[in-house]
């Protein structure tokens, strides 16, 4: 290969951009403990803003000035704002909440660009010094590529100086160790976090702007986002903490990707392989790199609470849902019925996350991928009009889920989420597009008797109800207890002899099986389905809305699914109203982002607020009763705890631990004195208490 | 103490000796504090006169550490006032206090485990001292830290880590120093060494509030001692007088 060295240079150039992006991710992660899934989308948005500022079709500002404005003003402000408004509220929340909020931001930025700010159009992405290029052993290397390499070196040196040679950098690293202690030293952790988020956004912007013309000749939302997401692999090689390894990782990925061009055979089946190289490396790195051990110290105190669904409640919910769907189907037009059916399919997909995320605390970003496998099995292995095909789809999707989970089992938290994301992206690029799979879109027949759309909508409601009952039954049984125990403390479970591996595997399999059924339902609903129905990006709103609804309860899945289904409908119905349609399209993202303020999800919050109100009303009533009678009483209170005085003459009682009141809430009569005396074996003359009668 | 009411919740608050109330640098007035619904401080009155060492003693769960957290503004009291040098500081943040010269060494090791010794000292510069001045003073007290200046703090022994955390108190020239459980988990010899440093700092006129569970060592250093039970200060007095009562307070025997 005489052009090897040329490809090597190109690889290093690509790798440099990965390294820049990944270093930004690592800086924010190490200082705030939040893995920013929106990092890729941030880079993408900044590339668009840069285009807007500098392109002749935009405002036509000089590129250097535009670069300065984006890198040193827009991006840092954006990052600092994200920290201040969204991320700061995430302290003491679970990993799922943290992930969902950043995923919400990612989905939001993507929608914002696609739907609101820059609807798809041709926007040329200009390289720096486009004329300057040299041919190096048969490969054309541009000045732009070399600039990327130089910038990466500068960034590496700058970050090293910042983090190790300045007080602000040392403080940023100190915040990771002990936030409170930094404050006791006189440092301001909140400002440091804002600074690191600003820095992270600036680095994402740098990578995004430099990468835009390399990814494609025009600006494209998803490829650009994915490019920066690919850099996550580099961050993982650096184990989210080591900057030198992160830079090395970036270079490794870039070189591997370019060498794949040289060495891999150019066959039809492998066309998706080259862009998948970073994802494959991410997957391999996740599996090979040593992981942190189970955490045994400090029981985490989280703001989330975990309510349970009951079987009776779920039965009732199913009945009400079916009746409501039947009613709505009867009165609304055909299009509305389809929208409703779609929302119900989304409910089933979110339900598939309940046992996995809600009960077991694991994260999957590949639910639609499992759905795609399910629909493929049901439609092509046997006829989908045979009810057995549903069972088969569930079994195969479940088995695939288990196989994916198997190597991923030693992973926890973010790493597991990244592994499922990598799996989903690989399936998107390599498998689903194949002709024998979903590439030529497949038509899925409905079960006999369901040809009518209205009947099918009711059937979907029944299907959701049955699956929900299954999930609740699981939760109420020993398996559910194991899942909950594993979520609460993996270390304690391990010491009790609980097989964590098997439990996680089962949770994954069950979740994937339900998702498989959901996929078949989508297939039956739509005239035909293709690879675009099962993209990784589609799975993100499922997790978002699931957590927003309240992923620990099946009611949360219903709420989240209906809401997710309702957003586009509302946007369409209100298309003439200004602003509102855009707002509804951003709905899932906004809801996800809002979660930082309210991590328990909507359904839980609503039921809890009812409960709290009743409780408060009960308490107030009791307090008032006591306060009213207090002035005339002069008796004694007998109980486990003496009552506390509120200081203003009233007496506060804990309703759960109420003392027995004698002579306070009613007159202390002679009869009671006698009873008391007998009980205490006392004579009248021994008593100080003067009875009133 | 009323012998018929042994419950901690009913322990009566002790009156402050008048000497304590003269020119106090730190003063808590009827402070109550709670974690969620659970109230742990039930009206704490405490004063640390300028230039003295007050040891706050008592068994587990008495509210000592919470008192210190409230005094250092790490925790907001539910009622009552925290005054430093006569000014109410309720609502201030702990970083603001640190800049004003209040040095708090929290329970456990008050160090950053993943930073080097030198970087740990660099963080003490938020108080306004230069790094070289802080290093000079620290290393003159603890020469062992000088040898380890480029070592990660988390890899040192427990005693060395506690020395490092004390070095902030030493070198940042505070007005008020608050120490929480300095002796926790350390060998008696190391504890003595650390308290020798505390008394030296006290000799320079720094007011010190020390929270300790194991009292013997600290009583030698303190000018005043206070016993805390059930979220209240139950006894304040000179250390010699309190020594006997301490046993009773810990063992519940009166």
């Amino acid at each position: 290969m005489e052009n090897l060295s040329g490809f090597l240079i190109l690889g290093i150039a690509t790798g440099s951009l990965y390294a820049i992006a990944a270093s930004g991710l690592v800086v924010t992660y190490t200082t705030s403990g939040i893995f920013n899934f929106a990092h890729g989308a941030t880079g993408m948005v900044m590339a668009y803003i840069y285009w807007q500022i500098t392109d002749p079709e935009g405002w036509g500002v000089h590129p250097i000035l535009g670069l300065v404005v984006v890198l040193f003003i827009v991006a840092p402000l954006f990052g600092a704002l994200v920290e201040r408004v969204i991320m700061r509220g995430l302290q003491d929340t679970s990993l799922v909440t943290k992930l969902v909020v950043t995923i919400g931001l990612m989905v939001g930025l993507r929608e914002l660009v696609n739907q609101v700010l820059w609807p798809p159009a041709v926007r040329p992405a200009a390289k720096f010094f486009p004329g300057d290029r040299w041919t190096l052993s048969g490969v054309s290397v541009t000045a732009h590529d070399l600039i990327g390499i130089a910038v990466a070196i500068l960034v590496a040196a700058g970050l090293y100086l910042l983090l190790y040679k300045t007080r602000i950098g040392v403080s940023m690293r100190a915040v990771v160790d002990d936030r409170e202690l930094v404050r006791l030293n006189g440092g301001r952790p909140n400002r440091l976090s804002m600074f690191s988020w600003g820095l992270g956004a600036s680095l994402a912007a740098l990578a995004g702007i430099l990468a835009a013309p390399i990814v494609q000749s025009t600006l494209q939302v998803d490829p650009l986002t994915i490019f920066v997401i690919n850099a996550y692999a580099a961050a993982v090689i650096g184990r989210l903490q080591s900057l030198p390894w992160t830079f090395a990782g970036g270079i490794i990925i870039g070189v591997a990707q370019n060498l794949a061009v040289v060495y891999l055979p150019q066959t039809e089946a492998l066309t998706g392989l080259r862009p998948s190289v970073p994802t494959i490396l991410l997957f391999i790195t996740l599996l090979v790199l040593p992981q942190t051990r189970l955490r045994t110290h400090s029981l985490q105190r989280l703001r989330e609470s975990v309510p349970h669904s009951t079987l009776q409640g779920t039965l009732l919910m199913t009945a009400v849902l079916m009746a409501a769907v039947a009613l709505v189907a009867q009165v609304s037009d055909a299009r509305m019925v389809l929208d409703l059916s779609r929302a119900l399919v989304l409910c089933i997909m979110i339900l598939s996350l309940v046992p996995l995320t809600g009960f077991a605390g694991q994260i999957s970003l590949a639910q639609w991928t499992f759905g795609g496998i399910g629909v493929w099995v049901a439609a092509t292995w046997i006829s989908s009009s045979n009810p057995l095909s549903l069972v088969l789809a569930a079994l195969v999707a479940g088995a695939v889920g288990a196989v994916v989970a198997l190597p991923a089992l030693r992973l926890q938290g973010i790493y597991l989420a990244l592994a499922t994301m990598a799996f989903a992206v690989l399936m998107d690029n390599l498998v689903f597009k194949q002709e024998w799979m979903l590439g030529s879109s497949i038509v899925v027949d409905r079960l006999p008797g369901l040809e009518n759309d209205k009947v099918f909508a009711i059937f979907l409601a029944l299907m959701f109800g049955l699956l929900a009952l299954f999930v609740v039954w699981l939760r109420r049984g020993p398996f559910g207890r194991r899942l909950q125990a594993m979520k609460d403390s993996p270390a304690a479970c391990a010491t009790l002899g609980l097989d964590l591996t098997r439990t996680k595997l089962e949770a994954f399999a069950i979740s994937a099986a339900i998702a498989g059924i959901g996929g078949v339902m989508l297939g039956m609903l739509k005239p035909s389905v293709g690879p675009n129905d099962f993209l990784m990006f589609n799975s993100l709103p499922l997790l978002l809305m699931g957590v927003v609804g309240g992923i620990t309860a099946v009611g949360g899945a219903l709420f989240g699914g209906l809401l997710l289904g309702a957003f586009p409908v509302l946007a369409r119905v209100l298309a003439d109203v200004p602003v509102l349609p855009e707002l509804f399209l951003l709905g899932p993202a906004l809801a996800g982002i809002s979660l930082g303020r309210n991590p328990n999800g909507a359904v839980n919050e609503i039921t809890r607020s009812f409960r709290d109100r009743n409780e408060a009303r009960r308490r107030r009533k009791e307090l008032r009763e006591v306060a009213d009678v207090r002035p005339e009483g002069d008796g004694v209170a007998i109980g486990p705890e003496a009552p506390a005085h509120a200081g203003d003459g009233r007496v506060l009682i804990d309703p759960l631990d109420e003392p027995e009141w004698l002579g306070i809430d009613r007159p202390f009569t002679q009869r009671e004195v006698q009873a008391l005396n007998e009980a205490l074996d006392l004579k009248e003359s021994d008593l100080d208490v003067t009875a009133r009668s | 103490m009323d012998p018929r009411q042994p419950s901690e919740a009913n322990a009566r608050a002790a009156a402050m000796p008048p000497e304590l109330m003269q020119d106090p640098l730190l003063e808590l007035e009827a402070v109550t504090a709670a974690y969620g619904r659970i109230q742990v401080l039930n009206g704490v009155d405490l004063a640390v006169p300028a230039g003295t060492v007050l040891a706050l003693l008592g068994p587990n769960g008495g509210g000592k550490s919470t008192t210190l957290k409230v005094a250092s503004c790490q925790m907001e009291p539910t009622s009552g006032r925290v005054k430093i040098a006569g000014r109410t500081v309720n609502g201030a943040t702990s970083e603001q206090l640190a800049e004003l010269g209040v040095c708090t060494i929290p329970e456990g090791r008050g160090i950053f485990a993943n930073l080097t010794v030198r970087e740990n000292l660099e963080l003490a510069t938020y108080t306004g001292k230069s790094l070289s001045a802080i290093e000079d003073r620290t290393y003159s007290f603890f020469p062992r830290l000088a040898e380890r200046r480029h070592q990660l703090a988390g890899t040192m022994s427990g005693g060395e880590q506690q020395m490092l955390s004390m070095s902030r108190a030493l070198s940042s020239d505070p007005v008020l120093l608050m120490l929480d459980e300095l002796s926790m988990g350390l060998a008696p010899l190391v504890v003595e060494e650390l308290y020798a440093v505390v008394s030296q700092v006290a000799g320079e006129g720094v007011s010190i509030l020390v929270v300790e569970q194991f009292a013997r060592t600290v009583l030698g250093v303190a000018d005043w001692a206070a016993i805390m039970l059930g979220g209240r200060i139950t006894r304040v007095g000179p250390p010699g007088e309190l020594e006997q009562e301490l046993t009773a307070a810990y063992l519940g025997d009166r």
Side-chain angles (χ1 to χ4, degrees), chain A residues 571-591:
Chain A
R572 195 182 65 220
V573 172
L574 301 170
D576 299 334
V577 187
V579 184
L580 270 186
E582 283 84 2
L583 212 58
F584 282 121
L585 288 173
L586 289 176
L590 292 176

Side-chain angles (χ1 to χ4, degrees), chain A residues 427-442:
Chain A
M427 291 294 284
D428 289 349
N429 287 338
L430 295 180
V431 182
F432 283 163
K433 281 179 187 160
Q434 303 288 339
E435 211 51 34
W436 54 269
M437 196 82 200
L438 303 171
S440 53
S441 6
I442 50 178

Side-chain angles (χ1 to χ4, degrees), chain A residues 14 17-18 21 39-41 43-45 47-48 106 110 113-114 120-121 125 207-232 257 275-276 278-279 425 429 433 535-537:
Chain A
T14 319
L17 303 186
Y18 285 143
H39 195 67
M44 178 271 296
V45 168
Y48 269 87
M106 167 181 176
R110 184 169 169 261
V113 171
N114 262 336
I209 292 168
L210 285 170
I214 293 181
V215 175
Q216 303 215 317
S217 55
T218 60
L219 284 182
Q220 302 281 339
V221 172
D222 284 353
L224 199 48
T225 309
I226 293 273
F227 181 89
V228 186
I229 286 180
N230 283 341
Y232 297 179
Q257 198 174 6
S276 306
T279 322
V425 172
N429 287 338
K433 281 179 187 160
L535 290 178
M536 182 274 288
F537 277 118

